[in-house]
Amino acid sequence: EGDGEAVILKEISAAEEEIGGYTDDLTEEEFFSFLKKRQGILDGVAVSGGEPLLQKDIRSFIERVRALGLSVKLDTNGTFPDKLRELIDAKLVDYVAMDVKNSPARYAETTGLSTLDLAPIEESIRILKENRVPYEFRTTVVEPLHTESSIREMAELVAALDPAAGVSVRVEVPDDLGSFGYNPEMIIRL
Protein backbone atom coordinates (compact mmCIF):
# COMPACT_ATOMS: atom_id res chain seq x y z
CA GLU A 1 0.00 0.00 0.00
CA GLY A 2 2.78 2.44 0.83
CA ASP A 3 4.42 1.99 -2.58
CA GLY A 4 1.12 2.69 -4.35
CA GLU A 5 0.71 5.90 -2.37
CA ALA A 6 4.23 6.98 -3.35
CA VAL A 7 3.45 6.35 -7.02
CA ILE A 8 0.26 8.40 -6.78
CA LEU A 9 2.10 11.24 -5.05
CA LYS A 10 4.79 11.16 -7.75
CA GLU A 11 2.09 11.24 -10.43
CA ILE A 12 0.42 14.21 -8.75
CA SER A 13 3.77 16.01 -8.54
CA ALA A 14 4.45 15.28 -12.21
CA ALA A 15 1.00 16.56 -13.13
CA GLU A 16 1.52 19.74 -11.14
CA GLU A 17 4.81 20.31 -12.93
CA GLU A 18 3.21 19.53 -16.28
CA ILE A 19 0.44 22.08 -15.82
CA GLY A 20 2.62 24.69 -14.13
CA GLY A 21 2.00 23.92 -10.47
CA TYR A 22 -1.19 23.40 -8.51
CA THR A 23 -4.08 25.43 -9.80
CA ASP A 24 -7.77 25.69 -9.14
CA ASP A 25 -8.16 26.54 -12.83
CA LEU A 26 -7.48 23.02 -14.12
CA THR A 27 -10.10 22.43 -16.78
CA GLU A 28 -12.04 19.20 -17.02
CA GLU A 29 -10.31 18.46 -20.33
CA GLU A 30 -6.85 18.95 -18.76
CA PHE A 31 -7.88 16.60 -15.98
CA PHE A 32 -9.03 13.90 -18.39
CA SER A 33 -5.91 14.38 -20.51
CA PHE A 34 -3.87 13.73 -17.36
CA LEU A 35 -5.85 10.55 -16.65
CA LYS A 36 -5.53 9.28 -20.23
CA LYS A 37 -1.74 9.70 -20.14
CA ARG A 38 -1.63 7.57 -17.00
CA GLN A 39 -3.93 4.74 -18.04
CA GLY A 40 -2.41 1.51 -16.82
CA ILE A 41 -0.61 3.37 -14.03
CA LEU A 42 -3.50 4.72 -11.98
CA ASP A 43 -6.18 2.40 -10.63
CA GLY A 44 -8.80 4.93 -9.68
CA VAL A 45 -9.94 8.42 -8.83
CA ALA A 46 -11.23 9.77 -5.53
CA VAL A 47 -14.08 12.18 -6.17
CA SER A 48 -14.00 14.56 -3.26
CA GLY A 49 -14.79 18.16 -2.56
CA GLY A 50 -16.32 20.24 -0.81
CA GLU A 51 -19.31 18.10 -1.47
CA PRO A 52 -19.04 16.52 -4.93
CA LEU A 53 -22.74 15.65 -5.08
CA LEU A 54 -23.47 19.39 -5.27
CA GLN A 55 -22.21 19.29 -8.86
CA LYS A 56 -25.14 18.95 -11.24
CA ASP A 57 -23.00 17.06 -13.78
CA ILE A 58 -21.40 14.68 -11.28
CA ARG A 59 -22.89 11.60 -12.94
CA SER A 60 -21.50 12.42 -16.40
CA PHE A 61 -18.13 13.28 -14.85
CA ILE A 62 -17.96 9.90 -13.09
CA GLU A 63 -19.14 8.13 -16.24
CA ARG A 64 -16.15 9.66 -18.09
CA VAL A 65 -13.78 8.45 -15.37
CA ARG A 66 -15.29 4.96 -15.52
CA ALA A 67 -15.02 4.93 -19.32
CA LEU A 68 -11.24 5.09 -18.84
CA GLY A 69 -11.41 1.85 -16.85
CA LEU A 70 -10.77 3.55 -13.51
CA SER A 71 -12.40 2.80 -10.18
CA VAL A 72 -14.21 5.60 -8.37
CA LYS A 73 -14.20 6.35 -4.65
CA LEU A 74 -16.77 8.93 -3.62
CA ASP A 75 -16.31 11.12 -0.55
CA THR A 76 -19.60 12.62 0.63
CA ASN A 77 -21.22 14.25 3.63
CA GLY A 78 -24.49 12.42 2.92
CA THR A 79 -26.69 15.45 2.31
CA PHE A 80 -27.81 14.27 -1.16
CA PRO A 81 -29.16 10.73 -0.71
CA ASP A 82 -31.01 10.69 -4.04
CA LYS A 83 -27.82 11.41 -5.98
CA LEU A 84 -25.92 8.88 -3.88
CA ARG A 85 -28.53 6.19 -4.62
CA GLU A 86 -28.49 7.07 -8.33
CA LEU A 87 -24.71 6.59 -8.55
CA ILE A 88 -24.84 3.31 -6.61
CA ASP A 89 -27.79 2.01 -8.67
CA ALA A 90 -25.89 2.81 -11.88
CA LYS A 91 -22.81 1.00 -10.48
CA LEU A 92 -20.70 4.12 -11.01
CA VAL A 93 -18.97 4.11 -7.63
CA ASP A 94 -16.78 1.36 -6.23
CA TYR A 95 -16.42 2.71 -2.70
CA VAL A 96 -18.07 5.43 -0.63
CA ALA A 97 -16.56 7.23 2.36
CA MET A 98 -19.22 9.21 4.20
CA ASP A 99 -18.36 11.81 6.80
CA VAL A 100 -20.57 11.63 9.85
CA LYS A 101 -19.83 14.92 11.54
CA ASN A 102 -20.95 14.30 15.12
CA SER A 103 -23.78 13.08 17.35
CA PRO A 104 -27.30 14.21 16.38
CA ALA A 105 -27.33 16.75 19.22
CA ARG A 106 -24.09 18.40 18.04
CA TYR A 107 -24.36 17.90 14.26
CA ALA A 108 -25.54 21.41 13.39
CA GLU A 109 -23.02 23.04 15.70
CA THR A 110 -20.20 20.96 14.22
CA THR A 111 -21.15 22.00 10.68
CA GLY A 112 -21.42 25.66 11.64
CA LEU A 113 -25.19 25.85 11.26
CA SER A 114 -27.86 26.86 13.76
CA THR A 115 -30.16 24.01 12.67
CA LEU A 116 -29.82 21.03 10.37
CA ASP A 117 -32.30 18.48 9.07
CA LEU A 118 -30.64 15.11 9.66
CA ALA A 119 -33.15 13.19 7.52
CA PRO A 120 -31.04 13.28 4.32
CA ILE A 121 -27.93 12.20 6.24
CA GLU A 122 -29.83 9.37 7.93
CA GLU A 123 -31.17 8.27 4.52
CA SER A 124 -27.63 8.19 3.09
CA ILE A 125 -26.53 6.03 6.02
CA ARG A 126 -29.43 3.65 5.31
CA ILE A 127 -28.51 3.51 1.60
CA LEU A 128 -24.92 2.60 2.39
CA LYS A 129 -25.96 0.00 4.94
CA GLU A 130 -27.80 -1.85 2.16
CA ASN A 131 -24.27 -3.12 1.39
CA ARG A 132 -24.47 -2.68 -2.36
CA VAL A 133 -21.09 -0.96 -2.42
CA PRO A 134 -18.19 -1.07 0.06
CA TYR A 135 -18.31 1.92 2.39
CA GLU A 136 -16.99 3.50 5.54
CA PHE A 137 -18.28 6.11 7.94
CA ARG A 138 -15.65 8.47 9.26
CA THR A 139 -15.22 11.66 11.19
CA THR A 140 -12.57 14.17 12.10
CA VAL A 141 -12.37 14.53 15.85
CA VAL A 142 -12.09 18.15 16.94
CA GLU A 143 -12.02 19.15 20.57
CA PRO A 144 -14.16 20.63 22.07
CA LEU A 145 -16.86 19.64 19.53
CA HIS A 146 -16.29 15.92 20.05
CA THR A 147 -16.36 14.24 23.41
CA GLU A 148 -16.27 10.58 24.33
CA SER A 149 -20.05 10.75 24.76
CA SER A 150 -20.71 12.46 21.39
CA ILE A 151 -18.52 9.93 19.57
CA ARG A 152 -20.45 7.07 21.16
CA GLU A 153 -23.75 8.76 20.20
CA MET A 154 -22.48 9.17 16.64
CA ALA A 155 -21.73 5.43 16.44
CA GLU A 156 -25.17 4.72 17.92
CA LEU A 157 -26.76 6.93 15.21
CA VAL A 158 -25.17 4.82 12.50
CA ALA A 159 -26.00 1.53 14.25
CA ALA A 160 -29.61 2.51 15.03
CA LEU A 161 -30.46 2.99 11.36
CA ASP A 162 -29.88 -0.72 10.74
CA PRO A 163 -29.40 -2.55 14.05
CA ALA A 164 -29.01 -5.93 12.32
CA ALA A 165 -25.95 -4.70 10.44
CA GLY A 166 -24.21 -3.44 13.56
CA VAL A 167 -21.38 -0.96 13.42
CA SER A 168 -17.70 -1.13 14.02
CA VAL A 169 -15.61 1.86 14.90
CA ARG A 170 -12.02 2.08 13.75
CA VAL A 171 -9.97 4.82 15.34
CA GLU A 172 -6.53 5.49 13.96
CA VAL A 173 -4.29 7.26 16.41
CA PRO A 174 -1.24 9.01 14.94
CA ASP A 175 1.90 8.92 17.07
CA ASP A 176 1.89 12.70 17.44
CA LEU A 177 -1.84 13.04 18.18
CA GLY A 178 -1.24 15.07 21.33
CA SER A 179 0.59 17.74 19.34
CA PHE A 180 -2.67 18.53 17.53
CA GLY A 181 -4.51 19.34 20.76
CA TYR A 182 -6.37 16.04 20.99
CA ASN A 183 -6.56 13.96 24.09
CA PRO A 184 -5.18 10.57 22.96
CA GLU A 185 -6.32 8.86 26.16
CA MET A 186 -9.96 9.76 25.38
CA ILE A 187 -9.71 8.39 21.83
CA ILE A 188 -7.92 5.19 22.84
CA ARG A 189 -10.53 4.58 25.57
CA LEU A 190 -13.25 4.41 22.90
Side-chain angles (χ1 to χ4, degrees):
E1 185 176 313
D3 291 337
E5 290 172 8
V7 169
I8 291 170
L9 290 175
K10 286 179 188 172
E11 287 296 322
I12 290 170
S13 295
E16 288 175 353
E17 245 176 72
E18 193 175 304
I19 62 174
Y22 175 78
T23 176
D24 287 333
D25 298 326
L26 182 67
T27 68
E28 195 169 309
E29 291 315 309
E30 289 170 323
F31 172 75
F32 281 101
S33 173
F34 167 78
L35 291 182
K36 286 175 188 170
K37 288 179 187 175
R38 285 147 185 89
Q39 279 186 292
I41 298 170
L42 299 177
D43 294 329
V45 171
V47 180
S48 195
E51 172 51 50
L53 296 181
L54 273 170
Q55 303 302 316
K56 61 183 170 193
D57 62 345
I58 191 66
R59 181 180 175 139
S60 63
F61 178 84
I62 292 174
E63 287 172 339
R64 286 186 69 188
V65 171
R66 297 292 296 214
L68 295 173
L70 297 168
S71 298
V72 174
K73 172 188 171 244
L74 175 68
D75 294 329
T76 182
N77 63 23
T79 52
F80 296 94
D82 293 340
K83 286 187 176 182
L84 176 62
R85 182 178 296 284
E86 175 188 340
L87 294 174
I88 292 172
D89 286 348
K91 299 186 184 325
L92 291 173
V93 292
D94 299 287
Y95 190 88
V96 177
M98 182 176 152
D99 292 321
V100 179
K101 303 298 184 185
N102 208 333
S103 65
R106 301 204 67 185
Y107 220 101
E109 175 189 11
T110 303
T111 59
L113 300 171
S114 56
T115 62
L116 178 68
D117 178 11
L118 287 178
I121 293 159
E122 291 171 344
E123 181 59 20
S124 290
I125 292 169
R126 281 188 203 89
I127 290 167
L128 291 176
K129 291 184 85 171
E130 291 171 2
N131 288 313
R132 294 184 300 130
V133 64
Y135 65 90
E136 70 178 327
F137 299 110
R138 62 188 187 188
T139 196
T140 301
V141 176
V142 178
E143 286 187 325
L145 295 172
H146 294 88
T147 62
E148 183 174 342
S149 158
S150 73
I151 293 170
R152 287 186 191 286
E153 289 167 18
M154 183 173 38
E156 289 167 6
L157 164 69
V158 172
L161 295 172
D162 184 0
V167 65
S168 63
V169 177
R170 177 177 51 91
V171 178
E172 293 182 11
V173 183
D175 292 337
D176 60 350
L177 188 65
S179 67
F180 293 102
Y182 298 105
N183 177 351
E185 291 173 10
M186 184 267 295
I187 292 174
I188 292 168
R189 203 170 44 244
L190 295 175

